[in-house]
Amino acid sequence: MKRHLCKTVLRFGKKSTVFMSTKSNCPNCKEQQQQKRNFTTLEVVKESEVINQPEQYKRIFLDGVDDSTKHLIVKGLWARVCRGRRDHPEDFSHLGENSENKVVFMFSSDGLTTILNKMVLEENNGNGNNNKKKHLYDILRALGFEDKVIHEEVEQNKKHFELVIISGDAFCQMTKCVIELATWEGVFKAVKKLYPDLYPHIEKFLPDLQNKTYEEITRDSGFDFFEILTKGLEHPKFLTEEKLMKIIKEREPTLVEVRAFLYFDVGLRELFRGDGYTLMNGEKRGFKEYLVENVERKQIEGAYQVIPFDL
């Protein structure tokens, strides 16, 4: 039998390697043309890629991956969405916008994995090239930001959002901070540690906070929490630690006042449900979220990367 030259192509992402050999049963042989229908190019697919460094995450978020990657897995990373004005560098000195706040929210690898697989791989498949801004909005919604808050911050307050990617191990080693799952139990553990003078006066409200919704607690308060939030610290009902302590010196606080303090000072907004997950518009569960002390970024220098959100 006449021997024909056989070509086999191995593909690795966008690169390919060609091997030539002689075989009597070459699938391209005219004598065995019927086998050509069943011949498929041997393609080596990189099914998944593990991301465990902030620099690696930032690179993939901004530049994408090759076509061979079908799934991205993030491990050992934490993240925080920060916001502030570029002409106010103090807005970005801590993990939280307000350096006076003692606690902030972060989310972990499960949320970061979802973000990459939705945003980067959709763009690879040709579905996201013109929708990057939409993806950024979707990320903020998944983290519990309501549309009215995003609009207020971007359009009226001229603030910028950014995603801070942090090495979990390095963060814990460098700050000695304890990370609590954002359940009501986790909230009160954080309050007990960071607000020791307030804790004895508010711990009795834990059952009510667990069993009543935000709407039920604030319905008869006589004021709109979000409206006060937009007016800022100067508003008398914008309850901070200092203002709540003044109330406590005169009398015990009410449930509404405690919820207001948790809303304004701790950051438990309308969508907080205390089950450890963010809540998106429309009551859809988002990512797992955690509470951590609001540390200065210089404390974790070299352990994080910043990704700006161009909204």
Side-chain angles (χ1 to χ4, degrees):
M1 179 182 290
K2 184 178 180 181
R3 298 173 68 86
H4 294 274
L5 194 63
C6 174
K7 179 173 74 172
T8 301
V9 181
L10 292 178
R11 297 190 184 279
F12 298 86
K14 296 180 180 178
K15 298 181 180 180
S16 62
T17 303
V18 178
F19 294 91
M20 307 298 292
S21 64
T22 57
K23 294 183 180 179
S24 60
N25 62 343
C26 173
N28 296 314
C29 176
K30 292 182 180 180
E31 288 88 342
Q32 300 186 38
Q33 188 66 33
Q34 69 275 12
Q35 293 187 14
K36 189 174 182 180
R37 295 192 302 269
N38 300 323
F39 177 81
T40 56
T41 300
L42 177 60
E43 183 175 0
V44 178
V45 177
K46 182 169 58 177
E47 291 293 340
S48 63
E49 180 174 347
V50 176
I51 299 99
N52 54 21
Q53 297 296 326
E55 298 82 359
Q56 183 187 12
Y57 191 98
K58 180 177 181 178
R59 174 181 56 77
I60 292 175
F61 187 98
L62 296 176
D63 301 333
V65 292
D66 62 52
D67 294 338
S68 67
T69 303
K70 303 303 180 185
H71 187 65
L72 297 161
I73 302 171
V74 181
K75 293 184 177 181
L77 299 182
W78 297 83
R80 159 88 183 159
V81 169
C82 300
R83 51 187 158 159
R85 290 176 59 103
R86 295 298 183 201
D87 55 348
H88 293 170
E90 65 274 11
D91 289 350
F92 300 98
S93 65
H94 289 63
L95 287 180
E97 176 187 351
N98 186 349
S99 60
E100 298 299 318
N101 289 348
K102 293 185 176 181
V103 63
V104 295
F105 286 89
M106 292 203 301
F107 64 102
S108 62
S109 296
D110 64 327
L112 289 169
T113 295
T114 300
I115 288 171
L116 276 195
N117 282 291
K118 178 174 176 57
M119 185 168 181
V120 175
L121 294 185
E122 280 191 14
E123 290 188 4
N124 266 20
N125 294 331
N127 299 322
N129 290 330
N130 298 318
N131 293 313
K132 193 159 191 175
K133 186 180 243 186
K134 177 183 179 299
H135 283 314
L136 296 178
Y137 271 92
D138 286 343
I139 292 170
L140 294 177
R141 293 185 186 109
L143 293 171
F145 287 93
E146 295 184 278
D147 287 346
K148 64 180 180 181
V149 174
I150 301 172
H151 177 80
E152 175 89 16
E153 294 290 60
V154 174
E155 300 299 332
Q156 297 184 34
N157 298 333
K158 307 302 180 185
K159 291 184 179 179
H160 295 263
F161 286 83
E162 62 183 31
L163 183 63
V164 181
I165 311 297
I166 307 166
S167 167
D169 288 343
F171 179 86
C172 293
Q173 291 172 7
M174 297 167 83
T175 67
K176 310 302 180 186
C177 290
V178 176
I179 298 174
E180 298 285 355
L181 184 64
T183 60
W184 279 114
E185 290 84 358
V187 168
F188 272 72
K189 284 181 182 178
V191 170
K192 185 176 183 178
K193 178 183 178 182
L194 300 174
Y195 302 89
D197 294 332
L198 289 180
Y199 182 75
H201 301 277
I202 67 176
E203 63 173 329
K204 63 183 178 183
F205 293 106
L206 178 57
D208 283 332
L209 292 166
Q210 287 176 313
N211 298 318
K212 294 182 179 181
T213 66
Y214 169 84
E215 292 75 19
E216 289 172 334
I217 294 173
T218 62
R219 183 181 298 135
D220 300 322
S221 64
F223 56 92
D224 185 293
F225 280 35
F226 180 73
E227 183 179 342
I228 293 171
L229 182 65
T230 61
K231 294 182 184 298
L233 285 166
E234 300 305 316
H235 195 285
K237 292 189 181 298
F238 194 112
L239 282 189
T240 60
E241 178 185 15
E242 181 182 0
K243 291 177 183 177
L244 189 58
M245 281 303 303
K246 286 182 179 179
I247 292 174
I248 288 172
K249 288 179 180 179
E250 299 178 0
R251 57 172 174 81
E252 286 298 299
T254 66
L255 175 61
V256 170
E257 288 169 337
V258 170
R259 188 63 184 88
F261 160 73
L262 295 173
Y263 183 98
F264 295 116
D265 203 291
V266 182
L268 310 188
R269 307 290 193 233
E270 294 90 339
L271 297 182
F272 182 81
R273 292 295 183 268
D275 62 354
Y277 288 84
T278 62
L279 196 66
M280 300 169 63
N281 290 338
E283 304 295 305
K284 183 179 178 182
R285 177 179 278 191
F287 305 145
K288 272 189 177 181
E289 60 180 349
Y290 299 80
L291 292 164
V292 68
E293 190 173 345
N294 183 21
V295 301
E296 288 187 87
R297 292 195 192 185
K298 66 181 182 181
Q299 285 186 249
I300 54 172
E301 194 68 41
Y304 73 91
Q305 290 288 319
V306 174
I307 301 174
F309 278 17
D310 295 322
L311 301 174

